[in-house]
Amino acid sequence: MAKPSGSVQRVREAIAALGLESQVQELSQSTRTAQEAAATVGCGVGQIVKSLVFRGATSGRPLLALVSGQNRASEALLAEHWGEAAGRADADFVRTHTGFAIGGVPPVGHPEKLDVLLDRDLLAFEVVWAAAGSPFAVFRLTPAELVRVTGGRVVDLKAG
Ligand code: 5CA
């Protein structure tokens, strides 16, 4: 049987390799933004994991911030926790360092190990939903699983 290819399949494989039980759900409605994903999945917007890529102002290194869909990430807090000022990455930088296009960037399955900071507000939920490689695919996991599989440092990232 031919092996399915594509970015969603790469996320499926990463999920399996990490020992997660989650199944990727491909949907006919958009999950491109946190609001759309929440409406499509039928969960609260806070339960959507935004996978936001930042770039170290000095080093040029990538940083992945996993932020609750209801929060805006504070660049000041990111800098404080990461030890370097960080600005929003452009689309090419995101694709190069995560292997995925904006709108479908998952928290796992990247070609390189990324530094990860994780919004502690995500820990308040029983389950959360993250992008799975496309703007029409998500997977569900517990916040504890998200911490385990990303190695993310749980910190306060919320602006305002
Ligand atoms: N699939 C959804 C829910 S999981 C998703 O991927 N959401 S996200 O928040 O992780 O990714 C979209 C984010 O990418 C938006 O918050 C937006 O701020 C950012 N973004 C959108 N367009 C650009 C762009 N041109 N350059 C940099 N960042 C962008």
Side-chain angles (χ1 to χ4, degrees):
M1 196 170 83
K3 192 174 166 196
S5 62
S7 59
V8 175
Q9 182 60 18
R10 277 191 282 136
V11 180
R12 281 204 188 88
E13 289 168 5
I15 287 170
L18 290 162
L20 290 172
E21 300 285 321
S22 329
Q23 300 295 318
V24 168
Q25 299 199 11
E26 288 193 83
L27 302 145
S28 53
Q29 300 274 334
S30 172
T31 60
R32 181 180 297 278
T33 66
Q35 284 73 15
E36 287 175 350
T40 298
V41 166
C43 69
V45 72
Q47 287 173 276
I48 300 298
V49 181
K50 297 193 285 191
S51 299
L52 305 178
V53 181
F54 292 82
R55 178 185 188 140
T58 314
S59 66
R61 283 169 53 215
L63 171 71
L64 180 65
L66 301 177
V67 181
S68 166
Q70 74 200 357
N71 290 346
R72 198 165 62 77
S74 155
E75 292 197 4
L77 287 174
L78 282 170
E80 188 180 315
H81 296 304
W82 200 39
E84 179 180 5
R88 204 53 175 274
D90 67 22
D92 283 347
F93 188 88
V94 172
R95 188 185 274 282
T96 299
H97 292 281
T98 69
F100 298 90
I102 285 170
V105 177
V108 296
H110 315 128
E112 61 188 89
K113 178 151 173 42
L114 301 173
D115 282 343
V116 179
L117 294 175
L118 199 149
D119 180 352
R120 75 162 181 224
D121 283 2
L122 287 168
L123 270 60
F125 300 104
E126 206 168 305
V127 295
V128 294
W129 298 82
S134 110
F136 293 91
V138 290
F139 69 104
R140 187 177 73 172
L141 73 178
T142 68
E145 287 172 327
L146 185 64
V147 173
R148 176 178 73 78
V149 299
T150 62
R153 195 145 50 87
V154 178
V155 293
D156 184 10
L157 288 179
K158 182 183 175 178

